[in-house]
Amino acid sequence: MMAHQIYAKRSVPGKGLGLIATVDIPRGTRIFSESALMLGPKLQGENLRTCLWKQWSTLSRRQREDYTSFGHVDPCTNDTARLCAIFTTNCLPLEGTYISEPGNTDRSQKRHKRGGLFPDACRINHACDRNAGAHWIESSQKIAVTALKDICKDEEITINNLGLNKPRRSRRASLQTNFGFDCSCGLCSLSSRESKNSDRQLSEVVKLSLFIFGRIAESRRTRPLRELREFDQLIRLHNEQETGIADVGRIYVDITERLLKYSDLARGKVFAERAISDFKIIYGSDCMEIQKWGYLLDNPTEYELFGHSKAWKTTIDEIPTALSPEKFEDWLWKRQRVSSVERIVDLRSRATFPPISHLPFSSNSDYYEINESSCSRARNHWCFLGEISHKTKFGKSSLAVKDVDGEEIKLAFETEEKGGELPPNKVELGYTVVIINAKPHKFPIGDKNYGGKIGVLHDDELCLKKRMVKEFVMDVRTNQPRWPSAKNVQCSGIAVGLVK
């Protein structure tokens, strides 16, 4: 089937022209590829003006009409400014390609990211939850548009112009500033509660990525299993949010390299296959990514760090073939199943249940692992317990609570509803506040009720979890609390209620 038969340019309400699928398009289909009308640096400037004018003279009448049919958001005073405004408003970035400043032979010269304006690809409208991706193919000097999801007949084909790792407010502000429209895609149209949950997960993707890839080399050598589990968590977050199959493919490459370093050919092969499969879907079988990383699948022992350690040594023949999908994933990620959903812990343990004086700051290396980018991540879980002693002593949007040593401290809420998210029937004198991985906070001197003192500041309304109270109950046989399994624990989570 010819490419022009599977999509058509049509008017989209509120968006102008867009591309609409005329048939069902399966995931992984290359919808079309095309050459650019114009190529140039993405930023405004003399280089862009010169570059575009040179190309303008070579365009046919039809191509010029296609080019000038695009709108723009920047004000224009002449034809040159209009050419530039159209380009900067509508061009697509050509990933991995740059334009150097002309006439400058200095190796340290500034390079500009390159963009291209394409007759059909640049008609594809934005959606944060897009169903297609556009990728520049250097060898053919064309852009290819591929279906990242199954696209139904009469459904609009969309791409993402921003990247998904931004919260809704930031995404919409960027789109309004750079493109002059308010996004109303499925992701931006979520309810307030759903959007906050989505933003939180996207934030976790960013934080975890920064932490994994910024980890110091020594930690990578000594904590390979922990790093594999963090990759496991990162992939799950990506899959839940559909943050971009390209990102997942590159993550699979990183995992493959780490496994080969530890001589694990079996798992390395599986992850290499997943990386190549994802690259084929988003970029096509002729992409540079497969040419660059294909050897990890075909000749894994050629990886320069292969066999650095024999700790996880396996052969390709050791890939299990009789496991269920769930158990295969457990094997692949070296997951350890907890035999019981509950673990008994000692309520008197000050390491697990610290008073306010023992709550660790994020700079405490005993509790936090800190990477080269100064990102911190808790090594283990701990829990702050506080008995509610007063509701308004330290002002509105805060509680007075006594820690396990009987010291009264301020628990302040910097959430959207200033703590109003908590169910009123759970906020009573004598009830216990339970905060997972609580962080100490020094209140400013200007705080008339608690200035200069250490308390707890909670600013994430998504972690005001009523359900956690039900999981944290006393075992009447041992007079010890039953601690929820790690998979149910939310970092910096909070619950209030009567611990029975």
Side-chain angles (χ1 to χ4, degrees):
M1 181 177 291
M2 297 296 292
H4 70 272
Q5 293 179 298
I6 67 174
Y7 75 92
K9 292 182 187 178
R10 294 178 186 169
S11 178
V12 180
K15 297 183 179 181
L17 283 179
L19 300 191
I20 306 297
T22 56
V23 297
D24 291 340
I25 303 176
R27 176 175 178 262
T29 301
R30 178 168 290 183
I31 302 172
F32 67 90
S33 62
E34 64 177 350
S35 300
L37 292 172
M38 295 272 206
L39 296 173
K42 287 192 65 182
L43 298 178
Q44 285 272 19
E46 187 62 36
N47 290 340
L48 177 61
R49 289 190 288 271
T50 302
C51 181
L52 295 184
W53 264 120
K54 286 182 178 179
Q55 295 175 78
W56 179 257
S57 63
T58 66
L59 297 183
S60 67
R61 180 179 178 180
R62 174 62 182 275
Q63 288 175 321
R64 292 186 180 189
E65 290 175 351
D66 283 342
Y67 189 96
T68 55
S69 67
F70 284 93
H72 56 85
V73 296
D74 298 322
C76 303
T77 57
N78 53 54
D79 290 342
T80 303
R82 186 185 177 202
L83 284 182
C84 294
I86 289 174
F87 187 87
T88 55
T89 299
N90 298 281
C91 75
L92 292 175
L94 309 184
E95 186 175 353
T97 66
Y98 298 85
I99 292 179
S100 300
E101 293 179 349
N104 190 340
T105 59
D106 186 357
R107 287 189 175 183
S108 63
Q109 65 179 313
K110 187 174 182 180
R111 300 191 306 164
H112 304 281
K113 289 185 177 180
R114 191 162 61 144
L117 194 141
F118 302 85
D120 284 359
C122 290
R123 291 293 183 188
I124 303 177
N125 288 311
H126 166 88
C128 300
D129 57 351
R130 82 286 182 263
N131 55 26
H135 177 65
W136 176 250
I137 304 175
E138 187 68 26
S139 59
S140 63
Q141 292 289 290
K142 291 183 177 182
I143 199 163
V145 177
T146 307
L148 302 184
K149 305 175 183 177
D150 291 336
I151 304 175
C152 298
K153 180 181 178 181
D154 296 326
E155 181 181 352
E156 184 181 10
I157 299 169
T158 56
I159 60 176
N160 188 302
N161 294 321
L162 292 177
L164 278 176
N165 296 337
K166 292 183 178 181
R168 177 169 67 174
R169 183 178 299 177
S170 177
R171 293 196 309 267
R172 301 189 81 178
S174 295
L175 290 168
Q176 181 58 241
T177 300
N178 297 318
F179 302 100
F181 73 92
D182 291 320
C183 186
S184 58
C185 71
L187 196 59
C188 287
S189 299
L190 293 173
S191 67
S192 177
R193 183 178 182 83
E194 290 174 324
S195 181
K196 288 176 183 177
N197 187 52
S198 173
D199 288 349
R200 174 181 169 80
Q201 289 181 314
L202 290 172
S203 175
E204 286 298 314
V205 169
V206 175
K207 290 178 182 178
L208 189 55
S209 297
L210 288 173
F211 193 81
I212 291 174
F213 297 111
R215 176 175 280 116
I216 58 176
E218 182 63 28
S219 294
R220 289 180 178 174
R221 288 194 293 269
T222 59
R223 294 173 176 260
L225 183 57
R226 176 168 183 163
E227 191 170 43
L228 182 62
R229 289 173 179 166
E230 288 169 344
F231 273 120
D232 186 6
Q233 181 183 355
L234 184 60
I235 290 293
R236 293 190 199 199
L237 288 170
H238 271 281
N239 290 337
E240 288 173 6
Q241 284 289 303
E242 297 183 336
T243 51
I245 192 171
D247 293 333
V248 172
R250 293 189 180 102
I251 293 170
Y252 284 148
V253 167
D254 287 311
I255 299 172
T256 301
E257 290 180 331
R258 283 159 172 76
L259 290 169
L260 293 179
K261 179 180 177 180
Y262 286 87
S263 307
D264 195 339
L265 285 170
R267 291 178 179 83
K269 178 179 175 61
V270 175
F271 281 114
E273 287 175 340
R274 292 185 178 185
I276 299 303
S277 174
D278 286 349
F279 288 146
K280 284 182 179 179
I281 289 173
I282 191 170
Y283 300 139
S285 57
D286 56 347
C287 68
M288 288 295 296
E289 284 74 11
I290 293 179
Q291 295 178 34
K292 182 177 181 179
W293 303 113
Y295 81 96
L296 293 176
L297 177 61
D298 300 329
N299 300 291
T301 57
E302 292 184 6
Y303 174 54
E304 60 181 348
L305 295 180
F306 174 76
H308 179 79
S309 168
K310 305 295 183 182
W312 291 352
K313 184 177 180 180
T314 62
T315 65
I316 292 178
D317 294 336
E318 293 180 56
I319 299 176
T321 58
L323 297 179
S324 66
E326 182 180 10
K327 289 186 177 180
F328 183 84
E329 292 300 309
D330 289 344
W331 167 82
L332 182 64
W333 292 101
K334 289 182 173 284
R335 295 171 185 162
Q336 294 180 349
R337 291 284 176 177
V338 180
S339 57
S340 172
V341 297
E342 297 173 341
R343 290 181 292 149
I344 304 300
V345 295
D346 184 0
L347 187 60
R348 293 166 294 186
S349 170
R350 294 173 72 85
T352 305
F353 301 98
I356 186 66
S357 60
H358 285 55
L359 282 183
F361 286 91
S362 57
S363 58
N364 188 327
S365 60
D366 290 334
Y367 285 83
Y368 289 92
E369 182 180 354
I370 305 171
N371 68 9
E372 292 173 328
S373 302
S374 298
C375 295
S376 61
R377 181 174 174 81
R379 295 182 183 274
N380 299 294
H381 289 300
W382 60 91
C383 178
F384 176 78
L385 302 177
E387 180 184 329
I388 299 176
S389 56
H390 205 288
K391 294 184 181 181
T392 58
K393 180 176 181 178
F394 297 127
K396 295 181 179 179
S397 69
S398 66
L399 295 171
V401 300
K402 291 183 178 180
D403 68 6
V404 294
D405 286 342
E407 181 178 350
E408 191 172 62
I409 66 129
K410 179 178 181 177
L411 167 60
F413 298 97
E414 281 293 331
T415 57
E416 187 172 315
E417 298 180 27
K418 302 299 183 182
E421 299 88 350
L422 294 170
N425 66 326
K426 295 294 182 180
V427 185
E428 299 290 346
L429 298 183
Y431 277 33
T432 299
V433 172
V434 180
I435 308 177
I436 308 300
N437 285 14
K439 295 180 180 179
H441 175 77
K442 185 174 183 178
F443 289 88
I445 299 296
D447 188 323
K448 63 180 181 179
N449 296 310
Y450 206 74
K453 297 181 180 179
I454 301 296
V456 175
L457 180 69
H458 195 79
D459 59 3
D460 191 345
E461 65 270 19
L462 294 172
C463 284
L464 300 182
K465 299 290 187 180
K466 176 181 176 181
R467 68 175 180 82
M468 292 176 62
V469 179
K470 298 178 180 179
E471 296 174 348
F472 189 86
V473 295
M474 297 298 292
D475 189 312
V476 296
R477 295 168 299 173
T478 62
N479 197 33
Q480 290 183 317
R482 290 182 295 180
W483 188 251
S485 61
K487 67 179 181 180
N488 292 325
V489 174
Q490 299 287 333
C491 290
S492 298
I494 184 171
V496 293
L498 181 62
V499 178
K500 300 179 180 179

